[in-house]
Amino acid sequence: MAIKKNKMKVKNICCIGAGYVGGPTMAVIALKCPHLNVTVVDNNSERIKAWNGPLDSLPVYEPGLPEVVSKARSRNLFFSSDIKGSIEKSEMIFMAVNTPTKTEGDGAGMGADLRYIEACAKDIAKYSNSNKIVIEKSTVPIRTAEKIKEILDQNEKALNFEILSNPEFLAEGTAVNDMFNPDRVLIGGSETKSGQKAVNALVEIYANWVSKEKILTTNVWSSELSKLASNAMLAQRISSINSLSALCEKTGANIDELSKAIGMDHRIGLYFLKASVGFGGSCFQKDILNLVYLCKYYGLDEVAEYWHQVVKINNYQKNRFAQKIIDHFGGDLKGKTIGILGWAFKANTNDTRESAAIDVAEKLYNSGATLEIYDPMVKPETIINDIKDYWSIKIYENDKKIKINQTPNFAEKIDGFAVLTEWEEFKNLQLDLSKVFDGRNIFERSLYSIGKNTNDNDCK
Ligand code: UDX
Ligand code: UDX
């Protein structure tokens, strides 16, 4: 779609949602656009307090983020609980609130719960006194913009709202770098004159540091669906390689060698072909289930089933990994202590949403194991809350069979370690932590090659 030359003056930007996406994205926009005032608001005042607090305890751990926040916060980046005032004064409003999987009603367990997006739209309609550009940053099902527009158009002040889709493609752990050097920035807008004006206004913001060839403009629906499709394609590669890891273990082929051999074909490429204990994170499972739901809604049952299989293989892989540990010890883990190394869903983040560690640990615990858990970045209370919230069995306070270590010094006798997050500090664990790990069973996801215990039963 051609970008027409229509200028719209933007001076104040607001983002609703100061989470993993809203915080880092806005911090980088503020850093790269000193001429703009960027305010991030959230209905969680504790979170806002933390964003305004010491740099070593920001609510989101991301390499490079404290430096960006430090520079921008002293100049044009503000974190605030004043949702009304920030909406009023901004010409452009990003929505970066969470869109979890629905737990009840139509589409429960699959479709996206849009209640927070709808709440944002209602706030925008209520507090706006001038025309606004409203941007979907959260991942949403295709045609959500229509729903947002309906809510906004109910405002009593005859204001005009342009809705754009500008999905985030940043990955946690590399979010700052992904924002600095994106593969592409995608902006979807309507093809009307005012739609194109709004698209241009957002293009001009990104153009402060991203070359225009990398800024792709499309219609709103293509943009919304591209986000779901990108995540589905990435996750599909992981499930494909993980499914092959099961075959490798039966046949004597090595999954790391297989990944390399496959990935060196430039048509396939090396990325996202690392076998693992299963993908986690707030996006992949949620977005694929959302895609499955959409396909079903449109009567595309075969397409829905194809994508559903990506999630099913992921569950199979988590289960298989835990089962291999159990089998290694003869069928149950009564009297065994397993060290869980890593709780975050990937390295370089403190985010544990949908982490494979949660499911693997539950299965080991249910098989009788005592667990000693350690993650370099995740707070003990987060681990406890995950166990309480996501395990299907009820855990009592002070359960002696679950111990959370704040350092990698495991006090108890450990019969085996399950490496569940690819933290750099675990990479050479047999070398660096030889006192702790020497001679034990190490069950690892093969996201990297750590000093290996060559036991045939190791899970790779
Ligand atoms: C969210 C979505 O989950 C994801 O689909 C999307 O791609 C980007 O936005 P994330 O930033 O990781 O991802 O979510 P989270 O860290 O939970 O942050 C959302 C924030 O919105 C929270 O701080 C929450 O307090 C805030 N929020 C939520 C509001 O301010 N108002 C609301 O009505 C709801
Ligand atoms: C993902 C997308 O990459 C990003 O573009 C989107 O905006 C949000 O969702 P994120 O979930 O933060 O980002 O991390 P990502 O690096 O994609 O990893 C997701 C999961 O897949 C992690 O659990 C990771 O360990 C796992 N993974 C990744 C593998 O198991 N194997 C791989 O080869 C790569």
Side-chain angles (χ1 to χ4, degrees), residues 438-452:
D438 199 20
R440 317 290 172 92
N441 295 299
I442 299 175
F443 303 91
E444 54 167 281
R445 50 192 282 162
S446 60
L447 276 171
Y448 45 63
S449 296
I450 60 172
K452 287 223 173 82

Side-chain angles (χ1 to χ4, degrees), residues 17-22 42-44 47 96-99 116 137-139 168 227 286 353:
Y20 282 88
V21 171
D42 201 293
N43 60 8
N44 178 340
R47 203 165 247 214
V97 294
N98 35 334
T99 48
Y116 304 121
K137 198 66 179 151
S138 304
T139 305
E168 50 85 15
K227 175 59 201 283
K286 168 173 75 82
R353 288 176 290 179

Side-chain angles (χ1 to χ4, degrees), residues 21 139 168-174 178 184 227 230-231 234 238 241-242 270-284 287 344-347 351 354-356 422 445 447:
V21 171
T139 305
E168 50 85 15
F169 292 108
L170 49 85
E172 288 177 33
T174 52
D178 293 344
R184 79 312 208 177
K227 175 59 201 283
S230 294
N231 273 350
L234 289 169
I238 302 170
I241 205 72
N242 282 342
L270 285 165
Y271 293 105
F272 276 72
L273 280 188
K274 288 182 188 145
S276 65
V277 66
F279 57 74
S282 70
C283 284
F284 281 176
D287 291 353
F345 83 95
K346 63 185 276 196
D351 191 351
E354 304 289 345
S355 178
E422 67 279 19
R445 50 192 282 162
L447 276 171

Side-chain angles (χ1 to χ4, degrees), residues 248-315:
C248 281
E249 286 161 29
K250 295 278 183 211
T251 56
N254 177 307
I255 190 62
D256 293 331
E257 291 174 357
L258 200 77
S259 285
K260 192 168 178 191
I262 297 168
M264 280 176 74
D265 184 329
H266 75 277
R267 294 169 302 176
I268 298 174
L270 285 165
Y271 293 105
F272 276 72
L273 280 188
K274 288 182 188 145
S276 65
V277 66
F279 57 74
S282 70
C283 284
F284 281 176
Q285 175 166 310
K286 168 173 75 82
D287 291 353
I288 295 170
L289 291 176
N290 197 341
L291 186 63
V292 170
Y293 180 64
L294 268 173
C295 295
K296 284 196 170 146
Y297 177 84
Y298 287 106
L300 304 172
D301 290 346
E302 287 79 1
V303 185
E305 191 40 44
Y306 174 78
W307 288 110
H308 204 178
Q309 201 58 30
V310 173
V311 173
K312 289 182 189 170
I313 286 287
N314 199 49
N315 292 334

